[in-house]
Amino acid sequence: MILAVVGGKGGVGKSTVAFELAALRGAVVVDADLAMADLPTARGPDLHDVLAGRADPVEAVREGGAVDILPCGRTLAGARACDLGALGGALEAVEHAYGDVVVDCAAGMRADVGVPLAVADACVVVTAPERPALADALRARELARTFDAGLAVVAYNHAGEAPASVERALGAPAVAIPSDDAVVRARRAGQPVTRLFPDAPAVSGFAALAESIRACGL
């Protein structure tokens, strides 16, 4: 199963949500934000190399950490060398080898968002309480519909509760994830907060998000 995590606006916590969901589901997380990668990385081949034809996608997956990850390069030259047409096949190859894949998509409406949505079984839209973030979430929702990627749940980040108006606007259940300094500390350590600080307030939000996805049969 391929789950795409999307957000119309940067800075809403999309990468954190993807990382935490992968940890909870025992999935491989793929950093598919080709120009602004934000997930942990390590030496060796990455998604830039895969999409430039220099590495096999399965061999580029890093195992043995808190979360198995296919990282992405950080250079502009690497991003420019990528063949976007190869991204869908790379994601499907990782799915075939590992079963469960969570894709941290690029923010906005660029072509490198559409490719993961085209191969995804479902998506999660990440947004925050600010009006611009919600407007961008609606655009991300429409993009997902264009590619027939069903919206499983809305991650309403940095919030104590998710208003019913958000669920009505986006047409899916919304799960609130509170702001939590433990999430920041865990990201700095390259670890999921669900494992490093299991009693942190945000952990219950991430767990509820994962449960909402499972309730959709995913």
Side-chain angles (χ1 to χ4, degrees), residues 74-94:
R74 265 50 175 184
T75 68
L76 183 58
R80 286 174 172 168
C82 290
D83 173 14
L84 271 180
L87 179 55
L91 295 175
E92 290 174 336
V94 176

Side-chain angles (χ1 to χ4, degrees), residues 23-46:
L24 287 167
R25 294 178 64 90
V28 175
V29 63
V30 177
D31 192 341
D33 193 341
L34 303 180
M36 296 290 289
D38 195 39
L39 290 178
T41 189
R43 297 182 65 178
D46 55 40

Side-chain angles (χ1 to χ4, degrees), residues 59-166:
E59 293 176 356
V61 173
R62 310 288 203 282
E63 298 179 349
V67 181
D68 291 342
I69 182 170
L70 200 174
C72 190
R74 265 50 175 184
T75 68
L76 183 58
R80 286 174 172 168
C82 290
D83 173 14
L84 271 180
L87 179 55
L91 295 175
E92 290 174 336
V94 176
E95 178 194 24
H96 180 74
Y98 289 90
D100 228 4
V101 179
V102 177
V103 186
D104 178 23
C105 299
M109 310 290 282
R110 303 198 311 261
D112 47 350
V113 183
V115 174
L117 285 172
V119 299
D121 296 285
C123 71
V124 173
V125 170
V126 183
T127 188
E130 295 81 14
R131 186 179 295 272
L134 290 169
D136 287 335
L138 286 169
R139 287 190 281 270
R141 174 69 177 107
E142 290 308 309
L143 183 65
R145 282 179 173 153
T146 299
F147 288 97
D148 199 27
L151 176 57
V153 64
V154 177
Y156 197 59
N157 209 14
H158 308 305
E161 60 180 359
S165 59
V166 172

Side-chain angles (χ1 to χ4, degrees), residues 37-55:
D38 195 39
L39 290 178
T41 189
R43 297 182 65 178
D46 55 40
L47 189 59
H48 281 175
D49 295 312
V50 170
L51 300 184
R54 297 189 295 265

